């Protein structure tokens, strides 16, 4: 199985900050990565697919980059609605695997 | 508008079989490349992929759970059913039904259903 490691596990940030979350894979996944946002008690929401494609309706402050074994999610200017947990997920090969999550907290 | 909704028991006893139904609308599971499946999440923990069934009835399963899982589809009813045998307290989790986009990720999710395994 491909293991995904997200860093950091927790991130404290202020409104307007630029935030970057990294996901490292144990083998190359090309661009077959998605990023999800999850708020407490809610289902995850797809933000980014194919490493850098923005899902319809997702604000443009979210972006994804990278390929291979190191990929990133960036929030260019953190808004109040962005405090949540973020997960990376690879779909290059089965079984699909997820990172352990990054919780973005208010500083 | 695409919607996904899970249904099934909220409480099962250890060793029992869990049967979950996903009822969806807004798309057809006969459309080329589309899949529907399940992802679960223990409280406070990360997401775990379980299984997909595809438009052509191809099925994929988590290797670690494969002996216990069966997924089926009823295209005419817009339903997908997951059964998991020999339930254990460690299987306590919120189970999500998801649609897999033909070329990429899980683009639509149900609200999730919490299943507790306890005697």
């Amino acid at each position: 199985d491909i293991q995904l490691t997200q860093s950091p596990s927790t991130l404290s940030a202020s409104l307007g900050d630029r935030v970057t979350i990294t996901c490292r894979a144990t083998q190359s996944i090309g661009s077959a990565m998605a990023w999800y946002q999850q708020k407490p008690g809610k289902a995850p929401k797809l933000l980014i697919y194919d490493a850098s494609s923005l899902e319809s309706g997702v604000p443009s402050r979210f972006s994804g980059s990278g390929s291979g074994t190191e990929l990133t999610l960036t929030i260019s200017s953190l808004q109040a609605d962005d405090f949540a947990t973020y997960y990376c997920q690879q779909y290059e090969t089965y079984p699909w695997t997820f990172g352990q999550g990054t919780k973005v907290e208010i500083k | 508008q695409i919607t996904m909704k899970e249904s099934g028991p909220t409480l099962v006893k250890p060793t029992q079989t869990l049967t979950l139904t996903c009822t969806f609308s807004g798309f057809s599971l006969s459309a080329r490349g589309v899949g529907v499946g399940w992802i679960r999440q223990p409280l406070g923990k990360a997401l775990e992929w379980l299984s997909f069934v595809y438009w052509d009835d191809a099925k994929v399963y988590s290797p670690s759970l494969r002996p216990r899982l069966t997924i089926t589809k009823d295209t005419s009813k817009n339903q997908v059913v997951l059964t998991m045998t020999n339930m254990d307290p460690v299987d306590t989790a919120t189970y999500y039904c998801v649609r897999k986009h033909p070329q990429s990720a899980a683009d639509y999710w149900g609200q999730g259903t919490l299943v507790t395994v306890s005697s």
Side-chain angles (χ1 to χ4, degrees):
Chain A
D1 299 3
I2 297 175
Q3 308 300 319
L4 300 179
T5 302
Q6 288 182 234
S7 59
S9 295
T10 305
L11 188 160
S12 296
S14 302
L15 293 176
D17 282 354
R18 182 181 180 87
V19 166
T20 298
I21 300 168
T22 299
C23 186
R24 292 183 174 85
T26 52
Q27 64 189 74
S28 177
I29 60 170
S31 297
M33 170 150 285
W35 291 92
Y36 301 89
Q37 177 194 67
Q38 187 177 34
K39 296 182 179 179
K42 300 294 187 182
K45 172 188 174 183
L46 178 64
L47 300 176
I48 301 285
Y49 62 95
D50 292 349
S52 60
S53 296
L54 195 67
E55 176 71 352
S56 176
V58 174
S60 59
R61 62 181 180 272
F62 291 93
S63 64
S65 63
S67 66
T69 60
E70 185 166 322
L71 298 93
T72 61
L73 172 71
T74 299
I75 308 173
S76 61
S77 177
L78 199 64
Q79 303 299 302
D81 192 47
D82 302 338
F83 292 98
T85 299
Y86 295 83
Y87 292 95
C88 60
Q89 178 249 318
Q90 66 81 21
Y91 48 92
E92 169 66 13
T93 186
Y94 288 109
W96 279 14
T97 48
F98 291 84
Q100 82 279 13
T102 295
K103 186 175 183 180
V104 176
E105 299 179 327
I106 300 173
K107 190 172 184 179
Chain B
Q1 179 191 2
I2 292 175
T3 63
M4 320 285 292
K5 187 169 185 179
E6 307 87 354
S7 59
T10 57
L11 179 66
V12 296
K13 290 181 167 50
T15 75
Q16 286 187 336
T17 294
L18 171 68
T19 299
L20 293 174
T21 300
C22 173
T23 303
F24 56 88
S25 63
F27 70 97
S28 173
L29 193 41
S30 60
R32 187 177 185 86
V34 172
V36 172
W38 298 88
I39 293 169
R40 71 179 180 179
Q41 185 176 36
L43 188 63
K45 296 188 178 181
L47 299 155
E48 179 184 19
W49 172 77
L50 300 179
S51 179
F52 281 128
V53 58
Y54 284 94
W55 63 286
D56 58 356
D57 209 34
K59 298 164 185 177
V60 287
Y61 296 96
S62 166
S64 62
L65 294 169
R66 175 59 186 100
R68 301 171 53 206
L69 296 178
T70 303
I71 193 168
T72 60
K73 67 179 177 71
D74 186 329
T75 304
S76 65
K77 292 183 178 179
N78 282 355
Q79 289 183 332
V80 167
V81 174
L82 180 77
T83 60
M84 181 181 293
T85 61
N86 194 25
M87 293 291 285
D88 183 272
V90 300
D91 297 312
T92 294
T94 296
Y95 287 74
Y96 294 102
C97 172
V98 304
R99 186 186 87 145
K100 184 198 175 302
H101 185 278
Q103 285 90 36
S104 66
D107 56 356
Y108 290 92
W109 295 61
Q111 63 188 19
T113 185
L114 175 61
V115 178
T116 302
V117 184
S118 175
S119 54

